[in-house]
Amino acid sequence: MKFFLDTANIDEIKKANDMGVICGVTTNPSIIAKEGRVFEEVILEIASLVDGAISGEVKATTIDAQGMIEEGRKIAQLHKNMVVKLPTTTEGLKACKVLSSEGIKTNLTLIFNVPQAILAARAGATYVSPFVGRLDDISMNGIDLIKDISTIFKIHNIDAKIISASVRNATHVIECAKAGADLATVPYSVIEQMMKHPLTDQGIEKFQKDYRAVFGE
Ligand code: G3P
């Protein structure tokens, strides 16, 4: 399983990118709004830093297919690595069909059940993004959704890549990987959680202590 970073925060993107652990970035309207910056500016800055797929979503207020298609084309023109993120609605699927037929990569978001994932894939989506954490939040099982989509995509040779989204912790990452997700898009805090182990910290401390005792600094 590979990783996208789910943020538009430049400092976090630089840190994760420098570590060599991400192959792209995903954004959504809430993430862009959080940074308080102009969409095109922040997207271009991200694209200049990360050599990989960058998902930019159509405006949250654009709800008709024609509007999404026009915006999607503009987003795709921003940079060669752009992926147009669309909501999984009837209008989003129509937009996905048109944009995909033009060779534009798409990421269908806000997926909460298997039928939505299958329809998104059939409409030509490059990526489907089922939301794990938000399902867990309402006492449903987000990981089971990843397992089901992954099983069905394999049986039917469906090419769309599964991005586990709304990933909240390192345990989600492990479970999504076991469930067959192609990618997980994670906030920087999850990368930090994944890296941390008290025995690693203690080990470094002991190596330093033992080394200094014999060799000094
Ligand atoms: O970008 C989509 C998704 O990852 C958002 O996650 O934490 O807002 O549910 P969250």
Side-chain angles (χ1 to χ4, degrees), residues 139-181:
S139 302
M140 294 189 71
N141 194 324
I143 300 299
D144 280 352
L145 176 60
I146 302 294
K147 272 186 210 155
D148 288 344
I149 296 172
S150 167
T151 304
I152 290 164
F153 278 19
K154 274 194 190 87
I155 292 171
H156 297 280
N157 293 318
I158 293 173
D159 287 338
K161 299 273 180 233
I162 304 166
I163 306 175
S164 292
S166 187
V167 170
R168 303 273 168 77
N169 52 56
T171 306
H172 271 162
V173 172
I174 299 167
E175 295 304 319
C176 288
K178 289 195 317 200

Side-chain angles (χ1 to χ4, degrees), residues 6 26-28 31 85 109 131 133-134 137 165-168 185:
D6 199 24
T26 53
T27 64
N28 65 32
I31 282 172
K85 208 167 171 190
T109 188
F131 277 38
R134 290 193 201 182
D137 289 346
S166 187
V167 170
R168 303 273 168 77
T185 187

Side-chain angles (χ1 to χ4, degrees), residues 6-13 27-38 42 46:
D6 199 24
T7 186
N9 183 280
I10 298 298
D11 289 340
E12 291 179 346
I13 291 169
T27 64
N28 65 32
S30 307
I31 282 172
I32 294 287
K34 193 172 164 202
E35 299 308 309
R37 297 180 56 193
V38 177
V42 70
I46 295 169

